[in-house]
């Protein structure tokens, strides 16, 4: 059954919603931001905790986000996953700081090539049940317990999900999977459920009212979860 899972995206210590394709290290002047929160990260962690929105993720987009991420984890220990700059050397420290799981992607691709040994080492060190991957699927399912899939081409645009990708994910995935990108109305939850046969969950970013959006409210997402629980 498709559920809503929450997100907290951090950029230089602030909660923001960013158009995915504009976040580039080599061209920071091209960054397009949909929303910059006046609230601290803990506010969102406490909000998700209050409404029992589980499997939420905190993503550190670039440097100077560690303290903000720790603030969110302190507000809901063992309730939030954390990603961004996670590697075999610091993963356990983030789990010790209160993360329920760590999310890993770029560290597994040194020089742009997948390093299976790095993944094996990380999975063995912290346990696959504490590991979420943002990357490809088949081989990697042996080493983690969840997938987080970002459709960067539509992320932050609020123009609809990547239907073809969601449908394929429904065919491929065998682990809990959250899709992010383009969600704009509550109807997208029903659409993801239909396309994936209930195998893929959805998170909203820029369209969500708590992030300055007008397409969908957190209250409606919580109500969806309550009435569509397995």
């Amino acid at each position: 059954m498709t559920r809503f899972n929450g997100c907290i995206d951090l950029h230089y210590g602030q909660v923001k919603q960013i158009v995915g394709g504009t976040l580039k290290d080599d061209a920071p002047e091209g960054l397009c931001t949909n929303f910059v929160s006046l609230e601290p990260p803990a506010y969102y962690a406490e909000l998700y905790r209050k409404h029992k929105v589980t499997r939420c993720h905190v993503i550190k987009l670039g440097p100077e986000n560690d303290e903000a991420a720790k603030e969110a984890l302190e507000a809901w220990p063992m309730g939030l996953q954390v990603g961004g700059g996670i590697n075999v050397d610091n993963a356990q420290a983030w789990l010790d700081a209160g993360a329920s799981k760590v999310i890993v992607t770029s560290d597994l691709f040194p020089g742009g090539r997948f390093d299976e040994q790095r993944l094996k080492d990380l999975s063995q060190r912290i346990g696959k049940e504490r590991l979420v991957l943002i990357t490809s699927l088949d081989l990697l399912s042996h080493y983690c317990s969840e997938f987080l899939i970002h459709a960067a081409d539509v992320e932050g645009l609020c123009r609809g999900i990547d239907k073809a990708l969601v449908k394929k994910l429904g065919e491929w995935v065998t682990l809990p999977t959250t899709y992010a990108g383009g969600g704009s109305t509550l109807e997208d939850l029903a659409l993801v459920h239909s396309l994936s046969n209930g195998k893929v969950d959805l998170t909203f970013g820029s369209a969500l009212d708590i992030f300055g959006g007008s397409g969908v409210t957190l209250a409606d997402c919580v109500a969806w979860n309550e009435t569509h629980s397995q």
Side-chain angles (χ1 to χ4, degrees):
M1 178 62 67
T2 295
R3 290 174 47 86
F4 161 72
N5 298 333
C7 65
I8 304 173
D9 293 343
L10 301 174
H11 186 247
Y12 285 99
Q14 290 182 285
V15 177
K16 297 182 182 180
Q17 285 296 311
I18 293 171
V19 177
T22 69
L23 183 63
K24 300 178 181 179
D25 292 339
D26 59 351
E29 69 281 358
L31 182 70
C32 181
T33 302
N34 287 336
F35 173 76
V36 179
S37 179
L38 298 179
E39 301 288 351
Y43 168 83
Y44 295 96
E46 291 164 355
L47 197 60
Y48 290 139
R49 181 176 188 172
K50 174 183 176 182
H51 293 290
K52 301 178 182 178
V53 181
T54 57
R55 289 175 52 215
C56 300
H57 53 271
V58 178
I59 301 296
K60 301 183 287 142
L61 301 171
E64 300 182 32
N65 289 307
D66 285 359
E67 291 307 312
K70 291 175 182 177
E71 176 187 321
L73 297 179
E74 289 173 3
W76 193 4
M78 293 300 293
L80 301 169
Q81 305 167 4
V82 66
I86 305 297
N87 56 49
V88 69
D89 295 320
N90 64 23
Q92 187 60 53
W94 282 105
L95 295 173
D96 293 342
S100 61
K101 302 184 181 187
V102 291
I103 304 168
V104 181
T105 176
S106 57
D107 185 64
L108 303 179
F109 293 85
R113 301 190 65 178
F114 174 59
D115 187 333
E116 185 177 357
Q117 189 58 51
R118 284 195 182 196
L119 177 56
K120 288 181 177 179
D121 292 345
L122 179 59
S123 183
Q124 291 171 359
R125 181 172 296 191
I126 67 172
K128 63 179 290 184
E129 70 281 356
R130 306 297 297 277
L131 181 59
V132 180
L133 298 179
I134 312 180
T135 185
S136 298
L137 307 176
D138 269 344
L139 168 68
L140 308 185
S141 64
H142 298 291
Y143 302 108
C144 66
S145 58
E146 290 190 35
F147 290 118
L148 174 59
I149 307 297
H150 282 259
D153 289 344
V154 298
E155 194 169 23
L157 299 178
C158 300
R159 296 175 184 170
I161 63 170
D162 185 329
K163 297 177 185 177
L165 175 57
V166 171
K167 184 175 177 61
K168 286 297 184 182
L169 290 173
E171 297 171 1
W172 294 332
V173 298
T174 57
L175 296 177
T177 299
T178 300
Y179 165 91
S184 57
T185 69
L186 190 68
E187 285 71 28
D188 283 322
L189 279 165
L191 181 57
V192 170
H193 175 77
S194 175
L195 291 171
S196 71
N197 292 314
K199 295 172 67 177
V200 176
D201 293 337
L202 173 66
T203 190
F204 289 103
S206 296
L208 196 60
D209 61 343
I210 62 173
F211 299 127
S214 58
V216 61
T217 68
L218 177 62
D220 284 343
C221 291
V222 171
W224 169 278
N225 284 356
E226 290 174 347
T227 57
H228 293 80
S229 59
Q230 290 181 321

